[in-house]
Amino acid sequence: MSSQHENWGSRVGLVLAMAGNAVGLGNFLRFPVQAIQNGGGTFIIPYLVCFLLMGIPLLFVEWSMGRFGGRRGHHSTPFILDSMSKFAFWKYIGVFGIFTNLAVAAYYCYLESWALGYVWNSIAGMFSGMSSDQVAGFFSDYTSLNSAEPIIFWVICLALNTWILSRGLSGGVEKVAKVGMPLLIAFGVILAIRGITLKAGHDGAIFSGTAGLNFLWTPNFSTIWEPKVWLAAAGQIFFTLSVGMGSIQCYASYLRSKDDVALNAMSAGWMNEFVEVVLGGAIVIPITVGYFGVDGMIELVNKAGGLGLGFRTLPYLFQQWGPILAVLAGVMWFGLLFFAGITSSLAMGTPIMGFLRDEFGWKRESSAWLFGALILILGLPTVVFFNYGVFDEYDYWAGTVSLVVFALFETILFAWVFGINRGWKEITMGADIKVPVLFKYVIKFVTPVILGAVFIGSLPSIMDTINNTAIHEQLAAATDETTISTLKKTIFFKNISRFALLAMWFSIAVAVAIAYRKRMREGRFTNIEA
Amino acid sequence: MNPTALIMWLSAVLIVSSATAYFFYKVLVTPHGKTEAEEQPTPPVKSFDVS
């Protein structure tokens, strides 16, 4: 069997790759919108509390689980989880750690390719002279596949991801992180300064950028005890840190046995927070408010969300800064989104590669190309049927629900099955910082409760999604034949995508069962007594 | 900006930036301890040998 002796080349490279895994498009597009919708400046309080009580503990848990599994030659969650308990079913919980990465990568690479495509279009001056509606229309045309361009950039992105992954951790992923993360931060800092210093009356701006900051950060303390605000804050922490996916365990499984996890996890986690809170909060909202005012910005957010602001609105606003700055701002904005995307999608490729190499002796190159091929096949419906909600369906089930389910199970495994004392020993072994003992109790009692609350709080939305409630309501209100037909098609494609995702999960579970039997036949280790 | 918003924003920026800088600085200055022996994976344990 393939014995993987791959390791990270440097500590900085590892931390940047882990931070890159966490930093995604959501840091710039999701966080500010969540803050606006949940109490403005007050949102930061539950947000930081959830980061301390759920985010950091989960980072500690996932990093140490990964190193623990890696020490035993496991580089994917099914057998990392299996190695922590004597109960066989944990390996099937670990299936989520491969499934989520594959399903999320399937649509995420498409999103990433938009950023790459928009970098190209910014350089080509495509948005020059366009009105606000024309820029928005360009995005609609782009996602409707009215030209071959989106497909070309998508295929380029897939090939790029595959090629980098085939170069290995230190030769590929780490090098990209070392270039991509500093560039992302540099672009973010420049755009944030520009956003904050935007002045009313200059470059066509009606309001100053600080008006946007003012709106974003003015606290509404009446919302602070609302459960939905805490649920939104906990959800945002989840998505932003990439916890509950299985990619952190996979990256950490390539640590050396006595390498630190505590300081590395803290550094990568806080770096993600810097990008999200400091940079993410200072670009989209201040710039949009500068041109459309607070009401205009809210209208745009309600219409198309953070993604809409990023792709439908900002390219138009950059044009107001003059031809040269427009190109530069476009390249920096979509460039940073692209780097945020690719450093995350690379992390999504490593669990399936680790699994194939550990269990079936695949070579790194072959497993990388298989990942690319799978993403092409699984991602095609999200590209072709984007307007019928397939993309959103993948995002909801794989990128939202699965994360919570997996994180809840892994925390229970770590704190209650593997045992918090043994778990704490794992976290503190080789630690380069003193980890407050408080976290031991937080991991055992508080984190599972928060995760349980997030899951229970999500149940109504899960039921509504399963029943397609929102679409049925639209259908009931619709009178136009075309709208009715589109909505019916949307329901059909959404249902099909759910079955496809379910089939994907079961296929991985079958592969895990085969791998387990193979291990048994070969007399290889599976688990330890809990 | 109104004073409350300014305080909220500056506090968040200061807390997050300081923590980020502190931990990344620690990563940069703390040596990466390892030995050759540690690079070998732990010998596998057969589950059925464990009582």
Side-chain angles (χ1 to χ4, degrees):
Chain A
M1 233 15 49
S2 148
S3 176
Q4 297 186 50
H5 292 302
E6 201 164 4
N7 281 120
W8 292 97
S10 69
R11 187 173 191 171
V12 172
L14 162 70
V15 169
L16 289 177
M18 277 286 196
N21 170 32
V23 171
L25 280 79
N27 289 54
F28 296 94
L29 304 176
R30 194 176 190 275
F31 169 76
V33 173
Q34 286 292 313
I36 284 170
Q37 292 170 344
N38 293 285
T42 331
F43 181 71
I44 199 70
I45 298 169
Y47 175 86
L48 286 179
V49 170
C50 287
F51 177 61
L52 292 173
L53 297 182
M54 189 184 75
I56 291 174
L58 276 173
L59 287 175
F60 285 153
V61 167
E62 296 199 349
W63 274 75
S64 50
M65 279 172 93
R67 188 186 57 181
F68 177 85
R71 243 182 3 243
R72 284 152 180 80
H74 304 308
H75 302 89
S76 64
T77 49
F79 288 98
I80 291 177
L81 264 63
D82 188 63
S83 70
M84 299 179 75
S85 161
K86 64 179 175 182
F87 300 109
F89 84 95
W90 284 105
K91 66 175 79 61
Y92 297 106
I93 298 296
V95 166
F96 278 102
I98 296 179
F99 161 79
T100 307
N101 283 289
L102 277 180
V104 173
Y107 69 84
Y108 202 79
C109 284
Y110 184 43
L111 201 58
E112 194 180 303
S113 75
W114 295 354
L116 189 62
Y118 269 60
V119 169
W120 166 253
N121 282 303
S122 300
I123 294 169
M126 189 59 78
F127 306 112
S128 172
M130 277 190 181
S131 68
S132 167
D133 286 343
Q134 283 171 322
V135 173
F138 181 88
F139 180 71
S140 302
D141 287 346
Y142 198 90
T143 53
S144 300
L145 304 182
N146 286 348
S147 73
E149 191 186 308
I151 303 280
I152 293 169
F153 278 108
W154 180 54
V155 172
I156 291 172
C157 257
L158 289 183
L160 198 61
N161 272 282
T162 306
W163 179 72
I164 295 165
L165 284 168
S166 74
R167 308 277 299 170
L169 284 182
S170 56
V173 175
E174 203 174 320
K175 280 185 180 166
V176 171
K178 278 181 171 173
V179 174
M181 284 304 289
L183 271 178
L184 181 154
I185 291 173
F187 288 168
V189 168
I190 294 168
L191 287 169
I193 291 172
R194 176 67 184 154
I196 295 166
T197 57
L198 198 65
K199 283 195 179 120
H202 287 77
D203 297 325
I206 304 164
F207 303 94
S208 65
T210 49
L213 275 187
N214 189 52
F215 177 70
L216 182 60
W217 290 97
T218 298
N220 175 5
F221 288 107
S222 66
T223 63
I224 197 155
W225 297 116
E226 283 180 19
K228 87 171 184 71
V229 172
W230 284 83
L231 214 57
Q236 181 59 26
I237 285 297
F238 244 107
F239 308 129
T240 190
L241 291 174
S242 294
V243 287
M245 282 191 78
S247 47
I248 291 178
Q249 288 95 327
C250 180
Y251 267 6
S253 70
Y254 294 97
L255 284 168
R256 293 174 181 89
S257 63
K258 296 278 172 59
D259 274 353
D260 156 273
V261 296
L263 174 59
N264 288 340
M266 286 292 260
S267 182
W270 278 103
M271 199 177 288
N272 174 71
E273 292 312 296
F274 173 79
V275 172
E276 179 151 296
V277 176
V278 180
L279 303 181
I283 300 175
V284 178
I285 302 298
I287 295 175
T288 310
V289 168
Y291 288 90
F292 290 101
V294 169
D295 292 339
M297 185 271 297
I298 291 174
E299 197 184 319
L300 287 167
V301 167
N302 290 337
K303 207 160 105 183
L307 208 59
L309 286 187
F311 285 89
R312 298 165 69 101
T313 310
L314 281 195
Y316 165 71
L317 301 184
F318 293 153
Q319 300 309 311
Q320 316 309 310
W321 299 353
I324 296 170
L325 267 184
V327 171
L328 285 175
V331 169
M332 285 193 282
W333 171 243
F334 294 110
L336 77 82
L337 290 185
F338 175 70
F339 284 127
I342 197 164
T343 46
S344 301
S345 61
L346 288 173
M348 294 172 204
T350 44
I352 180 79
M353 288 175 63
F355 176 71
L356 291 171
R357 293 176 69 194
D358 285 345
E359 308 307 326
F360 300 104
W362 283 46
K363 287 185 177 164
R364 190 174 65 206
E365 291 77 8
S366 331
S367 52
W369 285 104
L370 180 79
F371 169 73
L374 281 174
I375 298 309
L376 182 74
I377 295 163
L378 299 170
L380 203 58
T382 70
V383 177
V384 179
F385 303 115
F386 176 82
N387 290 336
Y388 293 109
V390 175
F391 184 102
D392 294 336
E393 209 58 20
Y394 273 52
D395 182 37
Y396 185 73
W397 292 109
T400 310
V401 177
S402 289
L403 304 188
V404 183
V405 171
F406 185 56
L408 182 59
F409 275 112
E410 73 178 356
T411 313
I412 292 169
L413 170 68
F414 188 84
W416 293 90
V417 180
F418 185 65
I420 193 63
N421 289 331
R422 210 191 297 184
W424 187 248
K425 203 176 146 195
E426 279 297 321
I427 291 170
T428 52
M429 187 173 72
D432 287 328
I433 50 169
K434 187 166 167 48
V435 188
V437 75
L438 178 73
F439 277 112
K440 184 176 175 180
Y441 301 99
V442 169
I443 290 169
K444 185 163 184 179
F445 299 107
V446 182
T447 310
V449 169
I450 297 179
L451 287 168
V454 171
F455 181 67
I456 292 167
S458 312
L459 284 177
S461 133
I462 291 173
M463 290 313 295
D464 282 348
T465 309
I466 290 172
N467 296 325
N468 293 313
T469 310
I471 307 174
H472 280 297
E473 281 170 8
Q474 287 177 42
L475 204 54
T479 48
D480 173 38
E481 268 309 307
T482 320
T483 314
I484 291 171
S485 157
T486 308
L487 289 170
K488 281 184 176 169
K489 276 185 187 168
T490 304
I491 291 175
F492 173 76
F493 282 114
K494 275 178 178 279
N495 289 338
I496 292 285
S497 12
R498 283 171 206 166
F499 281 114
L501 290 170
L502 213 54
M504 196 197 304
W505 193 95
F506 278 109
S507 305
I508 299 166
V510 168
V512 169
I514 293 169
Y516 178 68
R517 284 176 176 224
K518 193 164 175 290
R519 277 175 171 268
M520 288 292 98
R521 270 201 313 274
E522 291 165 0
R524 290 195 299 139
F525 142 85
T526 56
N527 56 17
I528 58 167
E529 191 183 32
Chain B
M1 277 179 87
N2 70 55
T4 334
L6 189 64
I7 290 166
M8 291 300 290
W9 178 58
L10 284 178
S11 311
V13 166
L14 277 174
I15 292 169
V16 173
S17 303
S18 312
T20 306
Y22 172 75
F23 288 115
F24 193 60
Y25 173 76
K26 289 273 283 181
V27 164
L28 290 176
V29 298
T30 310
H32 189 54
K34 63 170 188 280
T35 64
E36 278 300 307
E38 285 169 359
E39 292 180 19
Q40 301 305 317
T42 303
V45 178
K46 289 176 184 172
S47 59
F48 37 84
D49 286 345
V50 179
S51 54

